[in-house]
Amino acid sequence: MGKERLDQAFQQVLSKGDKAFVPYIMAGDGGLDILEERLNFLAECGATVVELGIPFSDPVADGPTIQKAGIRALENGVSLRDVIGKLKEIKATRSVPVVLMTYINPIYAYGTAEFAKDCREAGVDGLIIPDLPLEEESIVAADLAENQIALIRLAALTSTKERLVEIAKRTEGFLYAVTVTGTTGARSGFKENLAQHLQDLKSVCEAPVLAGFGVSTPEHVKELTENCDGVVVGSRIVDLLHQGDEAAIRELIQSAKITEQARS
């Protein structure tokens, strides 16, 4: 469960020579009733893990696409408790590990101990909290550790080398390497020094290093995974789900399967 399940999922993919692909979706976008169907679809497409966003009124790390998805979910009345309740309901039918992406305020309002316990009972494997700095992790770290839930850290391009080393050492599940400065959202390309940045993170991190923010095409996936273990793709997946373009989602996820490309 939890950390162990994440480790196994990444090991299974990377040991074959493939790269990990973590799609992001917004819980409640389109209604919570379709969450089970979407998770199973992404698993069937080859997702290693699914990052499940929780709608929040002040999503400081999210770009326009994910903000709009969050607004649609909030208009459906979806809350953090609703999402965890739905995950409990569908736990037995879900095969893909799930990582929640939420902000610290909803967790604090929920109660950190109760939140961590409910996450474990719902089969949540990890947590990403973009507005929680290292210095304040004690708010949730002990409760998450007690319930075997990985706390996944983000490594920003603007952090000092010393801070990146500390983040890389502490991360669990995987290290989320942010590829741009600013919020999430599709972009046309990346800075020239990004490859070196990813290589540097890999050299100091025992966990898999995944690149995220701005990844939107199979070409981006191939470019980035030359220097890391996989990618997280959010805005593009959210857009394609909203458009109902399942073929494009499948193509994007399959672009991380290097061994299949070599065979074809």
Side-chain angles (χ1 to χ4, degrees):
M1 61 177 292
K3 297 176 187 177
E4 189 177 326
R5 188 158 46 198
L6 285 178
D7 291 343
Q8 288 172 352
F10 285 113
Q11 179 59 28
Q12 188 176 358
V13 170
L14 298 174
S15 65
K16 292 192 299 185
D18 288 336
K19 298 293 184 173
F21 192 106
V22 177
Y24 168 101
I25 61 174
M26 175 62 72
D29 183 16
L32 269 183
D33 289 344
I34 64 171
L35 181 58
E36 180 178 15
E37 177 188 328
R38 284 190 166 174
L39 289 174
N40 289 337
F41 167 68
L42 293 169
E44 188 260 322
C45 287
T48 311
V49 173
V50 174
E51 181 187 351
L52 187 60
I54 304 297
F56 183 52
S57 56
D58 188 23
V60 293
D62 297 329
T65 296
I66 292 174
Q67 283 191 23
K68 287 175 186 173
I71 290 168
R72 292 193 294 266
L74 288 171
E75 287 173 348
N76 287 329
V78 174
S79 70
L80 177 56
R81 285 185 185 273
D82 294 333
V83 176
I84 291 175
K86 174 57 74 172
L87 287 173
K88 282 183 184 178
E89 280 180 34
I90 65 175
K91 182 180 177 181
T93 62
R94 174 171 59 79
S95 60
V96 66
V98 166
V99 167
L100 294 188
M101 197 293 276
T102 187
Y103 294 89
I104 193 60
N105 275 0
I107 297 172
Y108 195 73
Y110 197 118
T112 57
E114 184 187 1
F115 169 75
K117 175 177 168 288
D118 285 353
C119 280
R120 185 192 74 227
E121 291 176 356
V124 171
D125 301 288
L127 200 63
I128 298 170
I129 312 173
D131 61 342
L132 182 68
L134 289 177
E135 293 77 12
E136 296 174 24
E137 284 181 357
S138 58
I139 297 170
V140 296
D143 291 320
L144 295 179
E146 185 178 334
N147 289 279
Q148 286 295 300
I149 295 168
L151 182 53
I152 295 153
R153 277 73 167 187
L154 292 102
L157 283 169
T158 51
S159 293
T160 64
K161 186 173 182 180
E162 292 75 22
R163 189 170 182 83
L164 288 173
V165 169
E166 184 64 24
I167 290 168
K169 284 180 179 176
R170 283 208 213 176
T171 199
E172 299 163 342
F174 66 93
L175 179 64
Y176 194 139
V178 179
T179 58
V180 296
T181 52
T183 59
T184 62
R187 286 167 172 81
S188 58
F190 304 96
K191 291 186 177 179
E192 290 178 10
N193 63 347
L194 180 59
Q196 187 61 54
H197 175 69
L198 294 172
Q199 290 171 21
D200 290 346
L201 289 174
K202 272 191 64 63
S203 71
V204 296
C205 189
E206 292 185 7
V209 175
L210 272 63
F213 282 48
V215 187
S216 59
T217 68
E219 290 71 30
H220 286 165
V221 175
K222 293 182 177 71
E223 176 188 348
L224 290 168
T225 54
E226 286 182 9
N227 298 291
C228 66
D229 300 302
V231 292
V232 182
V233 180
S235 296
R236 184 61 177 153
I237 294 286
V238 169
D239 265 341
L240 292 171
L241 280 172
H242 193 54
Q243 295 160 14
D245 194 343
E246 293 186 354
I249 293 172
R250 192 180 301 275
E251 179 190 5
L252 194 51
I253 294 176
Q254 287 298 311
S255 67
K257 308 295 180 187
I258 294 171
T259 54
E260 289 185 16
Q261 294 164 23
R263 285 197 293 268
S264 60

